[in-house]
């Protein structure tokens, strides 16, 4: 059940009739993408909390206060994404047996597609799913003559290393985040 902080949030836009990236690694292992729905907000907040768990472990607040803070931060992030990227695709990453394992937000506009957000629950990380999805986003962008860009938290060295392995090049910092770009001519997708 959604808490008061999650109730009344702006709804996700209706699903667009666009191609969803479905990398072979996903489909072979029973994963797929589907449009996010407003009913997904509670688990999306839990996913967001999982990305902040190390940081929150250092804060000496009681657990209910930590949860309230996380819900407020998630609410702000959700509103930001919907306000700034209303034409984006907002997807849940699901497994046919175990349910949702993460999310991906992608804006497909020339000259570069923007990976707005990609996140997996801890149990789904480090298994190649994120890499497969990003590679497919790169291939889809290249097929229409576009590059891909994303932003990564400057302190998230693991994600930055992943993006570098996938051919993204760091350009400049924007406050707490670093802009990274990939162009089809920089890296083969094999």
């Amino acid at each position: 059940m959604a808490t008061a902080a999650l109730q009344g949030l702006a709804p996700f836009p209706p699903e667009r009739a666009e191609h969803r990236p479905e990398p072979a690694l996903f489909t072979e292992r029973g994963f797929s993408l589907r449009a996010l729905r407003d009913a997904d907000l509670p688990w999306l907040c839990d996913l967001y909390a999982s990305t902040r768990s190390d940081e929150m472990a250092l804060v000496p607040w009681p657990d209910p206060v930590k949860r309230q803070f996380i819900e407020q931060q998630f609410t702000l992030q959700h509103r930001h994404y919907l306000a700034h990227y209303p034409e984006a695709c907002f997807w849940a990453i699901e497994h046919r047996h175990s349910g949702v394992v993460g999310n991906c937000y992608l804006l497909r506009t020339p000259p570069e597609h923007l990976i707005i957000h990609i996140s997996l629950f801890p149990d789904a990380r480090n298994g190649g799913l994120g890499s497969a999805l990003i590679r497919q986003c790169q291939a889809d962008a290249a097929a229409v003559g576009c590059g891909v860009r994303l932003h990564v938290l400057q302190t998230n060295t693991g994600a930055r290393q992943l993006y570098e392995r996938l051919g993204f090049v760091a350009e400049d910092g924007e406050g707490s985040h670093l802009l990274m770009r990939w162009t089809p001519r920089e890296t083969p997708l094999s």
Side-chain angles (χ1 to χ4, degrees), residues 24-32 94-98:
L25 178 62
F26 267 41
T27 56
E28 290 167 2
R29 295 170 59 190
F31 292 93
S32 62
E94 291 188 307
H95 187 268
R96 70 175 160 248
H97 299 300
S98 57

Side-chain angles (χ1 to χ4, degrees), residues 115-186:
I115 297 175
I116 300 164
H117 183 84
I118 185 168
S119 189
L120 298 169
F121 278 109
D123 290 348
R125 295 176 193 155
N126 301 313
L129 295 176
S131 296
L133 182 56
I134 293 168
R135 280 191 179 106
Q136 189 64 52
C137 289
Q138 290 171 306
D140 292 348
V144 294
C146 291
V148 180
R149 67 185 162 99
L150 53 79
H151 292 87
V152 62
L153 192 62
Q154 295 216 34
T155 58
N156 191 343
T157 55
R160 181 175 175 180
Q161 290 170 349
L162 168 66
Y163 302 143
E164 288 171 346
R165 281 193 308 272
L166 295 173
F168 286 84
V169 176
E171 292 202 354
D172 58 18
E174 296 179 6
S176 61
H177 287 77
L178 185 65
L179 172 64
M180 299 186 80
R181 283 196 160 95
W182 171 86
T183 58
R185 63 188 170 280
E186 288 178 354

Side-chain angles (χ1 to χ4, degrees), residues 31-100:
F31 292 93
S32 62
L33 299 175
R34 68 156 172 85
L36 283 166
R37 304 179 286 259
D38 299 338
D40 294 317
L41 289 168
W43 72 257
L44 286 167
C45 187
D46 292 341
L47 177 61
Y48 176 80
S50 77
T51 68
R52 307 266 322 251
S53 62
D54 291 344
E55 173 189 359
M56 295 309 294
L58 302 174
V59 179
W61 301 340
D63 287 342
V65 174
K66 289 181 185 181
R67 182 63 187 192
Q68 181 181 22
F69 174 78
I70 288 295
E71 288 178 1
Q72 290 169 347
Q73 294 295 298
F74 169 76
T75 297
L76 292 171
Q77 182 188 64
H78 177 75
R79 287 181 180 152
H80 173 81
Y81 289 154
L82 293 180
H84 288 86
Y85 309 108
E87 298 301 315
C89 296
F90 297 90
W91 294 309
I93 304 168
E94 291 188 307
H95 187 268
R96 70 175 160 248
H97 299 300
S98 57
V100 293

